Amino acid sequence: MTQLEYKLHIDDVIRKVEKARLRVSGHHIVKIVAVSKYSKTQEIEALYKIGQRAFGENRVQDLKAKSQELEESPLEWHFIGNLQKNKINNLLEINPTLFQALDSYELALELQKKLETKNMTLDCLVQVNSAKEASKHGFMPEELLVMYAKIETECKNIKLRGLMSIGAHSKDKAVIKQSFDTTYKLYKALPNATICSMGMSGDFELAIECGSNMIRLGSVMFNK
Ligand SMILES: *Cc1c(COP(=O)(O)O)cnc(C)c1O
């Protein structure tokens, strides 16, 4: 694919986002985070040249390597993967724009401890397991509001900005929609939350229609 063909492909993705967003409202703004976990630095640069600025990785070591290689470019980095406690310091060294996958109370306490020591804060999203799938991380919907408030009060260096969720693993659109509706309803119940991160390459239009204002697109942005 030439650079022009690639640009036309990305235009097409953006047009789909635009259409879905306008079905919600002209005021509904959606941010695209390009998930570069399957992609090399050169591929990230090609997308950067088209205008993409926010990128996401799901492994701390990949985030470190790619953000260092691209440190001359004004990119914002999101960490979207499960964070092991022994990788917290590595993540904080990179100081990402947003950690999207705070998925347990124990992790929040560890993260808070490390943040306090380093005298820094970190913007985070709490991950919800809206479809209640054993294979997925995150808080169960019924405990979410209580745990979100608990982390907010007890972990002063963690700046909670909203929720992140992965749509139900299903071919049935109604089942996927239900998982997005669950996440959105919880998001709306949070007084200070501004980010509802849901929707991936296969389901981003539906996610936007359900209220998502941040989509995480991997394969569709990198033609994988
Ligand atoms: C890989 C990944 C994505 C992107 O997946 P695609 O289907 O390639 O768009 C989004 N969110 C998370 C948490 C991921 O791990």
Side-chain angles (χ1 to χ4, degrees):
M1 199 180 252
T2 66
Q3 183 76 9
L4 178 60
E5 283 167 333
Y6 186 42
K7 178 163 190 325
L8 292 174
H9 168 74
I10 296 299
D11 283 349
D12 191 50
V13 175
I14 291 171
R15 205 170 299 118
K16 284 182 178 145
V17 172
E18 237 352 70
K19 276 192 182 158
R21 161 184 104 73
L22 291 171
R23 283 196 284 271
V24 179
S25 139
H27 302 289
H28 187 68
I29 306 297
V30 177
K31 176 160 178 158
I32 300 175
V33 175
V35 177
S36 47
K37 67 187 184 199
Y38 329 95
S39 305
K40 295 192 184 67
T41 306
Q42 298 91 300
E43 296 170 284
I44 299 173
E45 274 175 326
L47 194 49
Y48 165 73
K49 282 189 189 130
I50 297 175
Q52 181 66 32
R53 292 294 177 269
F55 292 87
E57 287 286 333
N58 70 339
R59 291 160 54 98
V60 176
Q61 49 273 51
D62 294 344
L63 177 64
K64 185 174 180 180
K66 291 176 193 176
S67 63
Q68 279 179 351
E69 277 181 63
L70 292 160
E71 70 187 347
E72 300 297 317
S73 308
L75 305 182
E76 68 173 64
W77 290 99
H78 294 232
F79 187 66
I80 63 170
N82 174 247
L83 179 63
Q84 289 164 285
K85 293 199 185 87
N86 62 0
K87 299 278 168 60
I88 294 177
N89 278 331
N90 294 347
L91 183 70
L92 296 185
E93 269 169 40
I94 305 161
N95 192 14
T97 298
L98 185 64
F99 169 41
Q100 296 208 15
L102 188 53
D103 59 7
S104 78
Y105 179 61
E106 293 68 38
L107 178 63
L109 293 180
E110 273 304 301
L111 184 56
Q112 167 60 26
K113 235 192 268 172
K114 301 264 160 69
L115 285 167
E116 217 172 303
T117 311
K118 293 177 189 293
N119 193 24
M120 61 188 280
T121 62
L122 183 65
D123 283 9
C124 297
L125 302 181
V126 168
Q127 185 171 357
V128 200
N129 188 352
S130 295
K132 301 190 176 190
E133 289 163 329
S135 60
K136 285 196 183 120
H137 293 277
F139 291 91
M140 286 298 155
E142 55 275 10
E143 62 174 348
L144 187 278
L145 295 177
V146 169
M147 295 312 291
Y148 192 101
K150 196 168 156 71
I151 294 170
E152 210 163 38
T153 354
E154 293 177 18
C155 306
K156 294 294 180 203
N157 298 56
I158 294 178
K159 302 296 174 194
L160 293 185
R161 302 299 179 207
L163 300 180
M164 185 277 264
S165 190
I166 298 173
H169 184 73
S170 169
K171 286 197 167 63
D172 186 346
K173 208 173 156 179
V175 175
I176 303 171
K177 182 177 186 305
Q178 194 170 44
S179 68
F180 289 149
D181 286 341
T182 299
T183 306
Y184 185 70
K185 204 170 152 202
L186 292 168
Y187 165 70
K188 288 313 277 182
L190 297 166
N192 302 315
T194 55
I195 302 175
C196 179
S197 173
M198 55 186 194
M200 308 183 2
S201 294
D203 55 20
F204 67 92
E205 289 159 288
L206 179 60
I208 293 168
E209 284 163 28
C210 293
S212 168
N213 61 14
M214 181 175 282
I215 53 179
R216 308 175 308 272
L217 304 182
S219 37
V220 76
M221 292 297 273
F222 289 99
N223 268 309
K224 304 275 164 166

